[in-house]
Amino acid sequence: NNSKGDSRGALIVLEGLDRCGKTSQCSRLLPSLEGLGHSVESWRFPDRNTGVGQMISAYLSNQSQLDDRAIHLLFSANRWEKRSLMEAKLKSGTTLIVDRYSYSGVAFSSAKGLDLQWCKAPEVGLLAPDLVVYLDISPEKAAERGGYGGERYEQLEFQRKVAQSYHTLSDASWKIVDATLPIEDIETQLKEMAVDCINTCKNGKSLSHIWS
Ligand code: TMP
């Protein structure tokens, strides 16, 4: 695969509670991987630029009300509408650093009390990440970080439930990083993990599907 020059990019996902520092780390990881000569793009879910994304954004800012299952399916649809582009990018050799993915979808909705298997079902068939990094912070510490922005889920009690859901969802393949370390230390760890992952994908690891 490598020798034919058609090696693929890696799908790298960052997950964690609100205010865990994912977004800052994604924006640091992008230039640092580019600096090593990799083709990289930074993505995020929800992608608020699509029609579905605008509905999600209105819901999160409390401008609209939606049934818990309806909003769950919109978050999922927002990933499905990007799936083919995601696959094309990866196959063309571009690595994607993705700020939240299906795990957020399931963790946040199941924290509302929705059944875990029901929450996972619409995600089945999306591309599986090659690396999931969980930026680990206690809900209390996260809440102390400059306060929440006021979106719907940014409340301590709810984030405690989300943390439990993430815990239930996580498996041995997840890399857990202490999100309370200095920014530069987290950055160094992430870069190392990402480079390893990119090399594994280059060396022929095939793309697979999530939860199937
Ligand atoms: P953001 O702050 O990373 O843009 O995410 C917005 C909120 O949406 C955040 O509280 C997590 C939540 N969320 C879900 O509930 N389901 C999902 O599928 C995703 C991607 C995010």
Side-chain angles (χ1 to χ4, degrees):
N1 180 351
N2 222 358
S3 55
K4 289 182 217 141
D6 60 354
S7 59
R8 72 171 177 94
L11 181 55
I12 299 175
V13 168
L14 269 74
E15 286 283 359
L17 298 180
D18 287 296
R19 309 289 299 151
C20 70
K22 276 180 295 79
T23 307
S24 318
Q25 289 297 335
C26 285
S27 51
R28 285 168 169 255
L29 191 54
L30 178 81
S32 94
L33 293 176
E34 281 176 339
L36 297 174
H38 299 294
S39 162
V40 192
E41 280 184 20
S42 170
W43 284 30
R44 70 177 308 152
F45 291 108
D47 179 336
R48 303 188 191 213
N49 299 313
T50 70
V52 173
Q54 281 162 22
M55 291 174 71
I56 293 171
S57 194
Y59 172 82
L60 288 171
S61 59
N62 292 303
Q63 288 168 310
S64 71
Q65 309 303 323
L66 286 169
D67 176 86
D68 289 343
R69 288 179 178 79
I71 182 64
H72 181 76
L73 295 173
L74 288 179
F75 274 115
S76 185
N78 189 229
R79 285 181 279 280
W80 277 102
E81 63 184 344
K82 306 291 289 189
R83 188 198 181 284
S84 59
L85 183 61
M86 188 176 251
E87 184 167 4
K89 293 275 180 190
L90 293 169
K91 285 188 169 162
S92 76
T94 298
T95 284
L96 304 178
I97 303 164
V98 185
D99 185 344
R100 298 193 182 284
Y101 197 54
S102 302
Y103 312 100
S104 284
V106 178
F108 281 76
S109 291
S110 66
K112 295 173 175 174
L114 296 184
D115 177 71
L116 192 80
Q117 294 309 323
W118 186 90
C119 291
K120 280 175 143 182
E123 307 295 319
V124 173
L126 288 171
L127 296 173
D130 298 297
L131 171 64
V132 179
V133 180
Y134 183 75
L135 289 189
D136 191 23
I137 189 169
S138 73
E140 293 74 20
K141 281 232 171 81
E144 284 166 15
R145 288 189 163 177
Y148 288 134
E151 283 205 323
R152 191 181 282 264
Y153 297 146
E154 295 174 345
Q155 290 170 24
L156 181 56
E157 249 336 287
F158 187 67
Q159 297 283 324
R160 287 194 178 115
K161 291 182 185 154
V162 174
Q164 283 175 2
S165 306
Y166 268 127
H167 188 74
T168 308
L169 265 185
S170 66
D171 65 44
S173 73
W174 285 27
K175 307 277 189 205
I176 315 292
V177 172
D178 180 351
T180 64
L181 291 174
I183 288 185
E184 295 77 16
D185 295 3
I186 299 174
E187 187 179 355
T188 307
Q189 288 191 39
L190 283 182
K191 187 177 180 179
E192 216 177 276
M193 291 170 186
V195 167
D196 260 11
C197 175
I198 290 171
N199 286 334
T200 311
C201 294
K202 261 195 188 148
N203 290 333
K205 182 189 178 212
S206 46
L207 268 177
S208 59
H209 296 155
I210 198 166
W211 294 323
S212 52

